Amino acid sequence: MADWNIRPALATDVEPIAELRAVVMRPDLERLGRYDPHRVRQRFRDSFDPAHAWIIEVGGIFAGCVALRPTAEAHWLEHFFLAPHLQGTGIGTAVLHDLLDRCDRTAVPVRLNVLQGSPARRLYERLGFRLETEDPVDVIMVRAPGGG
């Protein structure tokens, strides 16, 4: 596995992340008949809050993003995007382990939304996430504290 780290996100990180989101989500959104090149970027811009996000760097180079938004009942894992050439290398698993360890110390569940049929669901299931609800497009998963 390559040398990676996470750093706090800045407001100026929004455009590189929006572009990565469009690349990473395109196959799943096309499969679901929901890909719109403008909308996929704009939805991210409209919801991005750098106060709860981190930039993933590999070898000092931008490689992805992840956010953990706190709510009264859970932490929401959002905006988890990793450059396609780094997927399957163990970096995503390592980043998630790090964040989930932080959440376990707060004894609060973690929730996420993954698209139906996304291969990312297997990663989330390996880390202890379980199906909470689903519809034809979205799958909401939850992980109890210490659930990994």
Side-chain angles (χ1 to χ4, degrees):
M1 176 175 33
D3 179 38
W4 65 273
N5 71 294
I6 59 175
R7 66 161 174 83
L10 304 170
T12 55
D13 291 318
V14 70
E15 288 307 316
I17 302 167
E19 287 305 312
L20 180 60
R21 179 181 198 264
V23 169
V24 169
M25 292 189 69
R26 185 175 186 154
D28 285 331
L29 290 171
E30 284 181 339
R31 179 178 39 77
L32 294 167
R34 300 180 67 93
Y35 183 75
D36 175 307
H38 173 73
R39 187 168 188 259
V40 71
R41 291 167 176 85
Q42 194 59 47
R43 283 193 65 182
F44 176 77
R45 290 179 191 117
D46 292 344
S47 66
F48 180 63
D49 181 355
H52 304 295
W54 294 271
I55 298 301
I56 303 165
E57 296 177 329
V58 175
I61 306 291
F62 170 74
C65 177
V66 65
L68 200 58
R69 180 177 50 87
T71 66
E73 73 283 344
H75 296 291
W76 277 88
L77 182 67
E78 300 175 322
H79 309 309
F80 184 36
F81 311 117
L82 190 61
H85 72 280
L86 295 169
Q87 294 174 10
T89 64
I91 293 169
T93 300
V95 168
L96 283 180
H97 272 294
D98 183 62
L99 292 177
L100 293 173
D101 286 347
R102 296 178 196 196
C103 292
D104 287 347
R105 291 192 291 271
T106 66
V108 176
V110 178
R111 285 190 167 84
L112 62 82
N113 180 358
V114 65
L115 292 173
Q116 283 285 3
S118 172
R121 183 173 176 174
R122 289 189 301 275
L123 168 62
Y124 299 136
E125 288 171 340
R126 282 196 317 270
L127 294 175
F129 285 88
R130 298 293 171 247
L131 174 68
E132 187 169 49
T133 63
E134 64 183 322
D135 64 31
V137 176
D138 296 309
V139 176
I140 306 297
M141 302 182 79
V142 64
R143 180 185 177 275

